Amino acid sequence: AAKETLQADEWGMIINLSHKAIVNDDMGAFDTLAVAAGEAAAYTVETAFFDMLAENSGNGPTMNDGNAFFHSSHNNIGAAAAPSVAQLSAMRAIMRKQKDPAAKRFIKVTPATFLGPVGMDDDVRVLVNAEYDPEDVALQKPNSVRGMVQNILGAPELEGDDYYIFGSNGSRRTAPFEIAFVNGQATPV
């Protein structure tokens, strides 16, 4: 069975103020500095996720088996093609055929979230909400990927043509990535 490990990273910032500086802060500049530092800390987690996703030319981090997270040996990468009814349908089939780490049973992953560059999200929103296949000129063929994903996210951190579809089967075991916090402390201290 595949087993990956979590490793904690530390980020920090110290605001060193003297008593005199605090007393003389008539404009409240240090108050806004602390708020800005808290916002930056929250954004650091998001940035770390996108940096990890960008590893190995956008195929994610290297796993214990020596391959990138998204790799043909993991049966979790589709053909490079723009989102279309046929492409999304093929990706759904790949996801539904995923097996547990021991490769003994299907875990029935269902597409749930689309993550792509800003702009592509609008195209996908139209694609998965259309009643009929947008590529069918006569608009008589039902759209087989209608409602396929519920969460459609456009991320300014992503560029180009790469996009990701993450799934769910109502179980935590299908979470592709986890963000964990030491002792559950998710906010800066």
Side-chain angles (χ1 to χ4, degrees):
K3 183 176 181 181
E4 300 299 325
T5 57
L6 292 176
Q7 178 177 337
D9 286 329
E10 291 183 53
W11 289 282
M13 176 182 179
I14 295 174
I15 302 172
N16 191 5
L17 301 174
S18 68
H19 178 63
K20 182 178 179 180
I22 294 171
V23 170
N24 291 332
D25 184 24
D26 296 341
M27 304 286 287
F30 298 127
D31 292 340
T32 58
L33 179 62
V35 170
E39 290 172 352
Y43 186 68
T44 298
V45 173
E46 186 175 329
T47 300
F49 169 76
F50 282 105
D51 289 347
M52 178 192 62
L53 198 58
E55 291 177 26
N56 294 307
S57 301
N59 288 318
T62 301
M63 308 305 285
N64 285 339
D65 65 2
N67 295 315
F69 180 84
F70 294 104
H71 192 271
S72 59
S73 68
H74 299 150
N75 299 316
N76 66 356
I77 192 165
S84 66
V85 169
Q87 177 67 7
L88 293 180
S89 182
M91 293 179 82
R92 177 174 48 205
I94 289 170
M95 295 176 79
R96 299 293 289 169
K97 292 178 181 178
Q98 287 294 301
K99 291 189 173 185
D100 68 354
K104 294 190 178 203
R105 64 180 184 85
F106 294 103
I107 57 175
K108 301 176 181 144
V109 178
T110 301
T113 300
F114 172 91
L115 176 64
V118 171
M120 188 184 287
D121 58 325
D122 290 334
D123 295 340
V124 169
R125 197 169 283 109
V126 168
L127 182 65
V128 300
N129 288 321
E131 184 175 351
Y132 296 99
D133 184 339
E135 296 157 10
D136 177 31
V137 192
L139 292 176
Q140 295 179 348
K141 182 179 177 185
N143 183 359
S144 62
V145 298
R146 184 174 186 196
M148 185 176 113
V149 291
Q150 294 74 46
N151 304 312
I152 301 172
L153 307 172
E157 295 85 354
L158 298 176
E159 296 177 355
D161 299 329
D162 291 343
Y163 59 93
Y164 306 88
I165 296 182
F166 299 111
S168 172
N169 71 349
S171 170
R172 188 171 171 215
R173 72 176 170 262
T174 61
F177 300 102
E178 289 187 21
I179 297 172
F181 297 94
V182 176
N183 297 326
Q185 182 66 44
T187 56
V189 292

